[in-house]
Amino acid sequence: MSPRILFPLCLCYEPKDTVSSVSVLGAQETREVLANTTSRLWGFWIVIYLDCYLPALKLYLLGLRVLINQLICRPFTLPELALQHGKVAIVTGGTRGIGYETSRHMASLGAHIIIAGQNELKGVSAVKRICEENREAKVEFDQLNLASLQSVRQFVQNIKRRGLPLHILVNNAAVMLVPEGRTEEGFEHHFGVNYLGHFLLTLLLLDTLKHSGKRGSCSRVVTLSSSAHGAGEIRLDSLLNRQCHSSHAAYCQSKLALLLFSSHLQQRLERGGFPLSSCAVDPGMVDTSLYCHRFPTARLAQTAIARLLFRSPSQGASTVFYTALSPSLEWEGGAYWSNGRTEMTSPNTYDPQLHRGIWDSSCRQVGLQERHQP
C-alpha cells in the first residue's frame, strides 16, 4: 500500500478499546490505554518510515554524491577499439538513451546488433536512425517485453531459431520510480523488469553465449547496475513482500539484485572454465528518459541541472561499450565498473549466502531448473 493512502487512514484511526475505556475506567487505566495506543501508532509510523521514506532519503543522498563526483571527475574517454565484424550483440532497451548509444557505437564498428525492446515503433525508428548514419550498419529490432517472462522465452526462441551466434549481451533496459504495479506474473514492477526479466534472458541465452566464445575472444555479459545498489536491501525471507510500496526502495533493490547476479554468474562461469565473462557497469547519472516518472517538481529541478551535471547518453554508454569490447578485459569478469575504472561495492554484495540465496530464489521464481545454470 502506498504511504499516501496510509497517511489519511492513520489520521482517522480511533481504537475502539480507547473509547470504551474512557467511559468505564478510571484515570489511571485510561492513561495506560492511551499510552498503549500511542505506542502502537508510533510503531506503525516507524515501520512506514523505514519501509517507505528512508529508502528515498538514501537514494537522493547517493544521487547528490554522484553528482558531486561527476562535477569533479572528467568523463571517461573511450580508447580506439578494433572493428567487430562477425560479432553479434543483443542490447535490451536499445531504442533510446544509453542503450541506443551502445547499439550505435557497436554498429559503427561492424558488429551485428539486435535491439531488444517493447515498443516496435521506437525500435524501427532507432534502426532507421542508425542505418541513416551508417549505411553498412547491421542492426535490427526484435520485440521483448521484460515485464512478461513468456515474452522473454519467446524472444530467446526466435533468436535460437535463427541459429545466430551471440558474443555480447548488454542488459541495459530499466524502469525507475514507476507507480506501484505488477508484471504479468505478479512480481513488483522494478524487480520484475529490471532484474528477473534479465535474469531469465541471460540464463536462457547462456549456452549460445558459451558456444560463441573462444579463447582470446570470450563472449561477454554486461549488466547495468547503479550506485543506487548501495541503498538497496534484500531480505531473502521476505524478498517480494514489504509493509508498504516504495518505488525508491524497489528500484534500489532491483539494482542490488542485478549486481549480485552479475557477480555470482562470473563465479559460476570461472568454475566451469567457460569462454564467457560477466561484469556490472554503473553509467552514472545520465540525461535520459529514465527519470520521467518522478514528481513534476523533481522533473523540473532535474531539467534545470541535467545539462550542467548529468552525463550525456554517449558518455554514459562509454564504459558499457568499453567493458563489452575492450581486448584488455579478456577473462577479466566479475568487476563493478564506473567511469572507465573498477570500484568497490556495498558490503552486502560480498555476502556469499546472499549471492546463493537470491540466485536460487530467482531460479524458482522464473521456473528454471539446474540444467539451465552454468
Side-chain angles (χ1 to χ4, degrees):
M1 183 180 292
S2 169
R4 296 182 187 175
I5 300 175
L6 287 169
F7 183 74
L9 287 178
C10 183
L11 292 179
C12 299
Y13 175 67
E14 184 178 9
K16 295 181 179 179
D17 59 348
T18 304
V19 177
S20 59
S21 296
V22 172
S23 58
V24 299
L25 299 178
Q28 180 62 31
E29 290 84 352
T30 300
R31 282 194 293 271
E32 291 178 358
V33 170
L34 289 173
N36 290 334
T37 302
T38 302
S39 177
R40 288 198 297 272
L41 287 174
W42 271 110
F44 172 84
W45 279 110
I46 288 173
V47 170
I48 297 303
Y49 173 76
L50 292 177
D51 258 16
C52 300
Y53 297 115
L54 186 57
L57 178 61
K58 286 182 177 180
L59 180 59
Y60 290 127
L61 288 176
L62 276 172
L64 179 61
R65 187 178 69 180
V66 171
L67 286 178
I68 293 173
N69 185 63
Q70 290 185 179
L71 185 63
I72 297 172
C73 301
R74 288 185 176 182
F76 171 60
T77 301
L78 190 67
E80 185 174 348
L81 296 171
L83 295 176
Q84 303 294 319
H85 294 299
K87 287 194 174 181
V88 179
I90 293 176
V91 181
T92 67
T95 61
R96 57 186 181 179
I98 294 171
Y100 173 78
E101 291 297 327
T102 300
S103 301
R104 184 177 68 84
H105 282 307
M106 287 187 180
S108 71
L109 292 180
H112 178 181
I113 308 300
I114 300 174
I115 294 175
Q118 184 176 357
N119 191 309
E120 187 173 2
L121 289 177
K122 291 181 179 179
V124 172
S125 175
V127 170
K128 182 180 179 181
R129 281 182 288 153
I130 293 174
C131 290
E132 286 175 350
E133 183 179 320
N134 179 6
R135 293 185 178 181
E136 296 183 358
K138 296 179 181 179
V139 58
E140 58 184 286
F141 173 80
D142 203 346
Q143 203 156 28
L144 169 65
N145 178 11
L146 289 166
S148 166
L149 298 183
Q150 178 57 38
S151 175
V152 174
R153 294 179 186 277
Q154 184 61 53
F155 174 85
V156 173
Q157 287 178 8
N158 293 341
I159 294 296
K160 290 188 174 182
R161 190 179 298 120
R162 298 172 59 183
L164 290 171
L166 180 60
H167 307 91
I168 301 164
L169 173 62
V170 179
N171 293 321
N172 162 76
V175 294
M176 181 180 184
L177 307 186
V178 296
E180 184 174 4
R182 299 282 167 175
T183 65
E184 285 190 6
E185 288 76 20
F187 300 110
E188 192 280 327
H189 207 69
H190 294 85
F191 192 75
V193 172
N194 296 357
Y195 171 63
L196 281 180
H198 283 123
F199 179 87
L200 178 61
L201 176 68
T202 304
L203 293 194
L204 291 181
L205 289 171
L206 268 186
D207 285 343
T208 306
L209 284 160
K210 288 187 290 188
H211 293 152
S212 302
K214 57 186 179 181
R215 295 201 173 273
S217 182
C218 63
S219 299
R220 303 185 191 186
V221 177
V222 179
T223 300
L224 271 72
S225 182
S226 165
S227 60
H229 82 270
E233 184 178 271
I234 291 178
R235 304 171 190 167
L236 294 176
D237 58 346
S238 57
L239 185 58
L240 302 177
N241 299 309
R242 298 185 70 89
Q243 291 288 342
C244 72
H245 179 264
S246 164
S247 57
H248 298 82
Y251 176 74
C252 295
Q253 182 192 59
S254 71
K255 289 301 179 179
L256 173 58
L258 284 168
L259 185 52
L260 292 168
F261 164 61
S262 175
S263 177
H264 193 67
L265 175 61
Q266 175 63 24
Q267 294 172 22
R268 284 173 167 261
L269 293 172
E270 285 179 352
R271 288 198 296 267
F274 301 112
L276 172 62
S277 65
S278 167
C279 72
V281 171
D282 170 19
M285 294 190 72
V286 182
D287 189 12
T288 70
S289 60
L290 181 66
Y291 306 97
C292 65
H293 294 286
R294 301 176 75 181
F295 294 117
T297 52
R299 288 202 303 270
L300 287 173
Q302 175 203 327
T303 302
I305 65 173
R307 293 182 179 179
L308 293 175
L309 300 179
F310 283 30
R311 289 180 180 147
S312 68
S314 180
Q315 291 171 336
S318 61
T319 301
V320 179
F321 195 52
Y322 178 71
T323 54
L325 296 178
S326 175
S328 65
L329 300 183
E330 286 293 335
W331 299 97
E332 294 292 329
Y336 173 74
W337 289 81
S338 178
N339 201 33
R341 61 179 182 271
T342 59
E343 291 193 355
M344 298 291 290
T345 54
S346 60
N348 54 355
T349 62
Y350 300 97
D351 183 350
Q353 291 184 342
L354 187 58
H355 276 242
R356 178 71 191 187
I358 191 171
W359 181 282
D360 291 343
S361 175
S362 301
C363 286
R364 290 192 297 270
Q365 287 160 2
V366 301
L368 282 183
Q369 304 299 321
E370 184 67 28
R371 63 186 177 86
H372 288 286
Q373 304 178 34

